[in-house]
Amino acid sequence: MVDLSDVGARVGIYHRLVAAQVRSQTAYRASFAIDLATNALIPVIDLITIVAMFQVTRTLGEFTAAEVLVMFGLSACSFALADLAVGNIERIRFYVRQGLLDAILVRPLSALGQLLAIDFAIRRVARVVVGLVVLGIAAARVGIDWTPGRVALLVAAPVFGAVFFSAIFVGTATVAFWWIESGEFANGFTYGGRDFTSYPITVYGGLFRRIFAYSLGFAFVAYYPTLALLGRSDPLGMPSWAGWLSPVAAVASAIAAGLVWRVGIRHYRSTGS
């Protein structure tokens, strides 16, 4: 049986680690305010890019500006939540290179949990707020026929999308156990995936779409949930229930990332220095 007192103690330790990070990052209020503003500016710039596109065209991949902004909002929320929760796993390559991971491994706590807690960046919450604002405004203006199912989907899709992106963060960061300079490789899937999911997959070529949208599952972060919210059929011919597959994609990606992490951590060898 699971020892609930032990679980509670471990959760308490992680909570204190995160709280310490929050206190240290908010100690200097002016600096923290600048950090928040800078982080909020990142999705705003991406939003401006989409708005600029629709100054020269009425539709993008057979979707209107309002419909694309729903996709952008879902993608931005999903990625921002994942980045807030696990984005600092990107730093694992520095821990591996400098031998600092050894100290983490000898502690009686989850190595992954420690890595996520000791570098927690509260400033990234600004990106979550921007994503939620865009999603809320876009969903209100696009003319969705609201049903209980669609309300639940609007709430759940960013959460499952965050699980999906979290798995991408962890899975690609784990490559650092074998290839320390893997930062750009990981960014191609994490930040590249964010950009990919911000637009309708109908704008991408067939091979590229098959690999990233379907094989890797990025289409189920924003594109298909948006179709389900709008009640639209897929121009590419997928059935209507594809819009409700976000939980499946999230669970599958989380399992895959967990397996990759376990293999990586088991085969880790110290720097020897």
Side-chain angles (χ1 to χ4, degrees), residues 132-165:
L132 288 173
V133 170
V134 173
L135 178 59
I137 294 175
R141 299 193 59 175
V142 77
I144 297 173
D145 181 16
W146 292 109
T147 63
R150 286 183 176 138
V151 172
L153 179 61
L154 183 65
V155 174
V159 176
F160 289 118
V163 173
F164 178 88
F165 271 121

Side-chain angles (χ1 to χ4, degrees), residues 110-191:
S110 162
L112 181 58
Q114 291 181 74
L115 287 169
L116 300 183
I118 60 180
D119 284 322
F120 183 78
I122 188 62
R123 63 183 178 276
R124 292 172 180 163
V125 73
R127 304 183 195 182
V128 178
V129 173
V130 173
L132 288 173
V133 170
V134 173
L135 178 59
I137 294 175
R141 299 193 59 175
V142 77
I144 297 173
D145 181 16
W146 292 109
T147 63
R150 286 183 176 138
V151 172
L153 179 61
L154 183 65
V155 174
V159 176
F160 289 118
V163 173
F164 178 88
F165 271 121
S166 296
I168 298 296
F169 268 111
V170 173
T172 55
T174 305
V175 176
F177 287 124
W178 297 278
W179 177 25
I180 295 178
E181 297 300 334
S182 59
E184 294 306 318
F185 169 82
N187 290 343
F189 289 92
T190 53
Y191 295 95

Side-chain angles (χ1 to χ4, degrees), residues 184-264:
E184 294 306 318
F185 169 82
N187 290 343
F189 289 92
T190 53
Y191 295 95
R194 177 199 62 187
D195 295 338
F196 181 90
T197 56
S198 297
Y199 299 92
I201 64 172
T202 49
V203 304
Y204 302 111
L207 178 61
F208 190 71
R209 184 169 59 234
R210 285 193 292 273
I211 294 173
F212 284 89
Y214 300 121
S215 298
L216 295 179
F218 284 102
F220 303 101
V221 171
Y223 178 75
Y224 282 112
T226 297
L227 291 182
L229 287 171
L230 298 174
R232 279 193 54 168
S233 59
D234 180 18
L236 299 173
M238 284 285 281
S240 59
W241 48 259
W244 304 87
L245 291 180
S246 294
V248 177
V251 171
S253 62
I255 292 173
L259 292 174
V260 171
W261 173 261
R262 287 175 65 86
V263 171

Side-chain angles (χ1 to χ4, degrees), residues 32-68:
F32 180 63
I34 293 173
D35 280 345
L36 285 177
T38 303
N39 273 264
L41 188 61
I42 295 173
V44 169
I45 292 175
D46 293 334
L47 176 62
I48 292 173
T49 301
I50 293 177
V51 172
M53 286 184 182
F54 280 98
Q55 300 304 305
V56 295
T57 182
R58 296 179 63 87
T59 61
L60 185 65
E62 302 183 36
F63 291 86
T64 66
E67 292 168 340
V68 172

